Amino acid sequence: MGLLTEIPTSVDKVDPLVGLSPGKRKMARVLIVCDRGSDTHQLKAVFEEAGIASENTDNMTEGCESAKSGRFGVVFSTPELDGGSWTRLIEVALHGGLSFEIVLLARTFDLNEWVEAMQLGAFEVIDVLRDLRNAGEVARRALGSGHLKRFRPGR
């Protein structure tokens, strides 16, 4: 029975970065590229609660330059910003040999746009109006996926 007492009874109590070594936890960084201050503030709060370091910018050009640094495992971005489309981040990742994941923050995506975004390389599309509180879990999954990409054989 001792083993059963160690199982968390609530999802809220589970460490979102469980399984990551202390060194990997320090590298678990999220970049937020968003021009809506309220969304950025809420995302930063969710990531802070999840123990994930985050930085933000409200301009796509600055976001792309920051992403090039290699400091980020995940980039949360709105589809269109001053400075261009989120697809610029895909180009940065491909041309720079980087393996960060991109999560889109959508307010009005329809199913066809969602499918297109996934085909172009988005890791996930979050409905900002309903699912922002789940961003910590999405970031955790995306960080794990990015880690697997970096260390897969033949790369």
Side-chain angles (χ1 to χ4, degrees), residues 103-147:
V103 177
L104 288 181
L105 305 168
R107 288 183 175 275
T108 58
F109 260 42
D110 67 19
L111 186 57
N112 290 331
E113 291 172 315
W114 182 84
V115 169
E116 181 182 0
M118 300 301 281
Q119 289 174 338
L120 289 172
F123 177 79
E124 183 67 78
V125 178
I126 290 182
D127 181 341
V128 173
L129 301 175
R130 293 179 190 86
D131 297 327
L132 215 49
R133 67 188 174 281
N134 298 324
E137 173 62 24
V138 173
R140 186 195 61 75
R141 286 188 291 115
L143 287 164
S145 176
H147 180 74

Side-chain angles (χ1 to χ4, degrees), residues 81-94:
L81 281 174
D82 183 32
S85 165
W86 73 276
T87 56
R88 287 186 59 198
L89 293 165
I90 298 272
E91 295 169 15
V92 166
L94 291 175

Side-chain angles (χ1 to χ4, degrees), residues 4-116:
L4 291 177
T5 60
E6 296 178 21
I7 296 173
T9 58
S10 169
V11 174
D12 295 335
K13 295 180 182 176
V14 174
D15 182 352
L17 300 176
V18 70
L20 291 180
S21 68
K24 296 284 187 267
R25 285 174 182 260
K26 289 179 184 175
M27 292 174 37
R29 300 184 70 82
V30 171
L31 174 63
I32 304 165
V33 184
C34 179
D35 59 355
R36 293 182 79 91
S38 60
D39 292 347
T40 300
H41 180 71
Q42 189 174 355
L43 281 168
K44 288 185 80 61
V46 167
F47 295 141
E48 184 176 329
E49 185 178 311
I52 301 171
S54 66
E55 296 178 26
N56 64 286
T57 182
D58 61 359
N59 179 288
M60 186 58 70
T61 301
E62 291 175 12
C64 288
E65 289 303 313
S66 294
K68 285 179 188 177
S69 72
R71 295 188 324 258
F72 303 100
V74 184
V75 178
F76 279 70
S77 177
T78 52
E80 294 289 331
L81 281 174
D82 183 32
S85 165
W86 73 276
T87 56
R88 287 186 59 198
L89 293 165
I90 298 272
E91 295 169 15
V92 166
L94 291 175
H95 294 301
L98 301 170
S99 57
F100 59 81
E101 298 290 356
I102 301 168
V103 177
L104 288 181
L105 305 168
R107 288 183 175 275
T108 58
F109 260 42
D110 67 19
L111 186 57
N112 290 331
E113 291 172 315
W114 182 84
V115 169
E116 181 182 0

